[in-house]
Amino acid sequence: MSKTPLGRSPKGTACINCRQRKIRCDGKRPVCSPCSSGLPSACRYSDGSLSPDQRLREEIAVLENRLEQLEHPNEPSKLSLHKTSSSTSAPRHTPLNISLNMRQALFRSFLPYSSEFGFCLDYSRFTASLSSSQQQPFPSILSACQLLGAYLSPVNELSALQSAFLSQALHDVSHGLSRNPIKLAQSLIHCVQAEILLAQYLFINGRTVEGKYRLSNAVSMVLGAGLHKIRSADIYAFQGRAGVHSLPPPVDPVDEGERLNALWQVVILNSCWTAADGSVSNIAYDVPESRIDAPWPLDAGTYSRTLLPDNLQGRYTVQNFLANVPDNGQSLLALHAKSAILFEKASLLRSQYNPHMALQEATRFQQTFNNLNSVINRMATSIPPLSGPNNSRSTIRILLVVHTLCRVAAIILHGTFEQSDPASHAQVLGSAESVVTLLKSVNLSDFPFIDPITGCLWTITANVFIREIGSQNTSRMPKRVSLKELMNSTEIIMSTMQIFASRSSFIEESQLARVRQTYMACINVKC
C-alpha cells in the first residue's frame, strides 16, 4: 500500500484553486489551508462542495426568490421552494429563515460599528449569547442587528435584502416584550435596543417620521420602566407611580449598566432629533415623573469590572448639568449625551427669543443665555481631542459627532444675536471654523457611514459660511475671513456630505441638496 507524500493530500482530493495554481493542498474542508490564508472564497472542490462565500451567495439567491414570491404571489416562480396553497393571498408575515452562515456574515458586518449606532448592551455578554443555546438574545434585537448588518454589508446581494430584513425587524419588535415575568427585564432592554437601531436606520434613509415613531416607542418604554429613576435619591416622591417598580432589580452590575446605557442612548436620540426639526421633546426634564435622576453612564465594559457603590445616587441629573454643577460624567457616552442635550437646549432657547419681550422676560432670557453659553464653553474644553493616542477608530468617529454637536450648539445659541452683537458674530463664525478643522483632521476613509444627525449639523455650519458670503459687502461686522476662505470652508463641508450621501438618503436629499442650492444661489448673486 502506497503512502501519501508528507504535506500532500491524497490524489484527487485537492481543491480546484490549488490545482490551477499548482501548489500543495491539504484538502481540508470547507476551506483548505492555502486558500484560508489567501482567498477563502476561491476554494472549491470538484465534487461540488462550495466554499462558505459561495454557499452564502446561494442562500441569498434563495431568499431573494422567496421574497419575490411573497411580493408577487400570482406570478410564476423561478424556483419552487414550497408547495403553493390554493389561496392567492399572501400571509401577513412570513419569517425569514436564514442560515447560520448568513447570520454570521450579517453580524460580522454590524458588530464592529455597533457602538456608533447606539448599541447599549454589554458587548462581551451579547456576543457570547449569540453562540449560546441557553441565553439567546430575543428576536427583536437579533433582527434589528441583522438589518444593520445588511446595510453595512460589502456583499451587494445581502445589501439588496434590506427591505426584507426591515420587515422582519419591525414585526419582531412589535412582539418583543416577553409575558414571562422572569424574562421581562431582558426582553424590554432588547426591545429598547431594537427601537434605537431601527430609528437610526430609518433616519439614515430619510424616513424621519417613521424614525421618530420608533424613538417615541423607545422613550415610552424607558420612562414606563422607570430607567430614568435608577438609583434616584428621591425615591419617596415617586413611590407608587406607574413604571417605577415595574422591573425586578438588576441581577448584576452589567445588567444595571445596560439599563443605564439604554436610558442615555434614548436621551441622545431624543435630544438630537427634537432639535433637528424643532418638535416638542418626548422627555420633560422638569416634570417630576419624567425628570432624570439616574447617574451618568460609565465607559463601555466598565460595569463588568466595577461594582457600583451602594451610595451612588442621582437627582436632577440634567438640571444640575445645565446649571453648571460639576459632576463625574466623563465617559464617552456621558459626553455624547451632554453635547446632545446642549444642542437641544440651545435650539429651544433660540426659538423662545422675541426681540419685543418685556424687560423682566428679557432679563430672564439673558441670564439663561449666559448660563447656557458658560456650560457649552466648559463642555467644549472637556471633550477629549480626536488625536488621543489611545483612541480607536470607533472612538474617533463618535468623538467627531460629540465635538460637532457642541460647536453647533454654540452656533445656534449665538445665532440669536449674530447680526447685532460682534461677540456673538465672532462666536458663530469661530465655532463653524472649528467644525471644518475637525473634518480636516480625520481620515474620512475610516468612516463606512456617519450618524445621520451630522447631516443637520453640517447644514447648519455650512449656512454660517453662506450667510457670511452673502453679507460680505453689506454687513457692519468686522471681516475676519476672506471670501475665498469662506467658499473653501463651505465646499469642504459639501465634499464631506457628498462622501456619505451615497449611504444616506437623508444627508443626500434633505441636507446636501439644500446646502448646494443655497450656496449656488449665493455665488450666482455674487458673480
Side-chain angles (χ1 to χ4, degrees):
M1 178 174 157
S2 61
K3 295 183 179 179
T4 302
L6 186 63
R8 289 183 179 272
S9 58
K11 187 175 181 179
T13 61
C15 77
I16 296 173
N17 185 44
C18 287
R19 288 183 200 171
Q20 291 173 342
R21 296 167 61 196
K22 296 182 179 180
I23 61 175
R24 292 183 177 182
C25 178
D26 56 18
K28 286 185 178 179
R29 305 292 181 103
V31 181
C32 70
S33 297
C35 288
S36 65
S37 60
L39 187 62
S41 61
C43 187
R44 187 168 184 174
Y45 291 88
S46 57
D47 60 2
S49 176
L50 301 181
S51 71
D53 186 65
Q54 290 162 336
R55 284 199 302 272
L56 176 61
R57 291 180 185 277
E58 287 201 355
E59 290 159 6
I60 291 171
V62 172
L63 263 182
E64 286 176 332
N65 185 265
R66 180 58 179 154
L67 182 61
E68 186 175 345
Q69 283 184 311
L70 295 175
E71 292 176 342
H72 307 286
N74 296 324
E75 295 182 6
S77 173
K78 299 176 184 176
L79 174 67
S80 179
L81 299 178
H82 304 281
K83 292 182 179 179
T84 55
S85 64
S86 57
S87 172
T88 58
S89 61
R92 296 182 64 183
H93 177 76
T94 301
L96 282 176
N97 295 316
I98 65 175
S99 69
L100 178 62
N101 185 35
M102 182 183 290
R103 176 173 153 180
Q104 289 173 340
L106 292 167
F107 276 96
R108 281 197 303 269
S109 295
F110 168 67
L111 287 174
Y113 308 102
S114 57
S115 62
E116 297 156 68
F117 281 95
F119 198 73
C120 63
L121 305 180
D122 181 81
Y123 187 87
S124 298
R125 183 170 290 187
F126 178 75
T127 52
S129 69
L130 292 175
S131 56
S132 168
S133 58
Q134 316 248 316
Q135 296 291 330
Q136 274 281 306
F138 284 87
S140 57
I141 182 61
L142 287 175
S143 56
C145 291
Q146 288 167 180
L147 168 64
L148 289 172
Y151 166 73
L152 292 167
S153 176
V155 180
N156 291 334
E157 294 90 342
L158 267 183
S159 181
L161 289 173
Q162 289 178 56
S163 61
F165 286 115
L166 175 60
S167 176
Q168 181 70 53
L170 292 173
H171 175 270
D172 287 341
V173 79
S174 67
H175 298 80
L177 290 179
S178 173
R179 295 185 178 182
N180 184 340
I182 298 176
K183 296 182 178 181
L184 175 61
Q186 186 187 22
S187 70
L188 183 133
I189 298 301
H190 284 198
C191 243
V192 171
Q193 178 68 90
E195 294 284 14
I196 291 171
L197 299 180
L198 280 170
Q200 287 282 45
Y201 178 81
L202 293 165
F203 289 139
I204 287 169
N205 287 282
R207 300 164 65 169
T208 53
V209 174
E210 296 168 85
K212 294 202 75 172
Y213 172 73
R214 308 320 312 187
L215 172 57
S216 67
N217 287 347
V219 172
S220 297
M221 285 188 281
V222 162
L223 298 184
L227 303 189
H228 59 309
K229 299 300 180 186
I230 293 174
R231 293 179 173 266
S232 173
D234 201 8
I235 57 174
Y236 298 109
F238 306 99
Q239 206 165 27
R241 297 190 178 180
V244 177
H245 302 295
S246 60
L247 292 183
V251 296
D252 57 26
V254 172
D255 186 16
E256 186 171 21
E258 289 184 338
R259 298 183 187 191
L260 281 171
N261 288 352
L263 164 69
W264 290 109
Q265 291 287 7
V266 169
V267 168
I268 290 169
L269 271 184
N270 177 74
S271 293
C272 286
W273 292 95
T274 292
D277 64 4
S279 58
V280 177
S281 176
N282 292 299
I283 304 174
Y285 300 114
D286 298 325
V287 176
E289 287 82 358
S290 56
R291 187 185 77 211
I292 296 178
D293 286 346
W296 294 106
L298 303 178
D299 279 312
T302 305
Y303 299 103
S304 61
R305 303 188 301 267
T306 306
L307 285 176
L308 300 181
D310 293 335
N311 62 352
L312 176 63
Q313 293 182 318
R315 191 181 185 192
Y316 296 97
T317 306
V318 174
Q319 289 96 321
N320 286 338
F321 165 63
L322 294 173
N324 232 345
V325 177
D327 57 52
N328 60 354
Q330 296 302 314
S331 69
L332 185 58
L333 180 55
L335 295 175
H336 196 172
K338 288 178 176 181
S339 61
I341 291 168
L342 291 177
F343 177 46
E344 176 191 4
K345 289 301 178 182
S347 301
L348 177 62
L349 186 63
R350 184 170 179 178
S351 70
Q352 295 172 342
Y353 177 69
N354 179 358
H356 306 295
M357 62 179 66
L359 178 60
Q360 186 176 7
E361 188 179 1
T363 301
R364 283 198 302 267
F365 181 92
Q366 190 64 50
Q367 290 174 342
T368 305
F369 178 97
N370 292 339
N371 184 74
L372 186 56
N373 182 53
S374 175
V375 178
I376 292 173
N377 289 337
R378 183 165 66 89
M379 179 71 186
T381 61
S382 67
I383 305 173
L386 300 182
S387 58
N390 298 320
N391 287 348
S392 65
R393 292 180 178 181
S394 176
T395 298
I396 291 172
R397 290 192 289 263
I398 297 174
L399 278 175
L400 176 64
V401 178
V402 174
H403 274 285
T404 306
L405 279 166
C406 192
R407 268 64 179 183
V408 172
I411 290 173
I412 294 172
L413 182 66
H414 285 275
T416 310
F417 304 115
E418 178 185 7
Q419 301 302 319
S420 58
D421 180 22
S424 281
H425 176 264
Q427 182 71 43
V428 167
L429 195 54
S431 296
E433 290 170 338
S434 295
V435 173
V436 174
T437 301
L438 287 167
L439 292 177
K440 291 161 66 175
S441 70
V442 295
N443 181 7
L444 294 174
S445 63
D446 282 341
F447 288 65
F449 69 98
I450 193 73
D451 187 331
I453 197 62
T454 54
C456 293
L457 305 180
W458 290 335
T459 297
I460 293 169
T461 305
N463 285 334
V464 171
F465 298 120
I466 294 172
R467 287 196 303 271
E468 197 70 14
I469 292 170
S471 64
Q472 277 281 291
N473 299 327
T474 59
S475 176
R476 299 177 183 177
M477 297 298 168
K479 303 295 186 295
R480 297 180 60 250
V481 186
S482 69
L483 179 61
K484 182 178 180 181
E485 290 173 315
L486 292 170
M487 293 174 64
N488 184 54
S489 293
T490 308
E491 289 168 10
I492 287 174
I493 294 176
M494 290 196 299
S495 297
T496 302
M497 296 175 78
Q498 184 62 55
I499 292 173
F500 300 105
S502 62
R503 300 302 305 271
S504 172
S505 56
F506 174 76
I507 291 178
E508 180 178 27
E509 298 170 9
S510 300
Q511 307 301 310
L512 177 57
R514 293 180 186 177
V515 171
R516 186 179 286 125
Q517 182 180 8
T518 306
Y519 178 61
M520 294 309 298
C522 182
I523 294 301
N524 289 335
V525 170
K526 282 292 176 183
C527 294

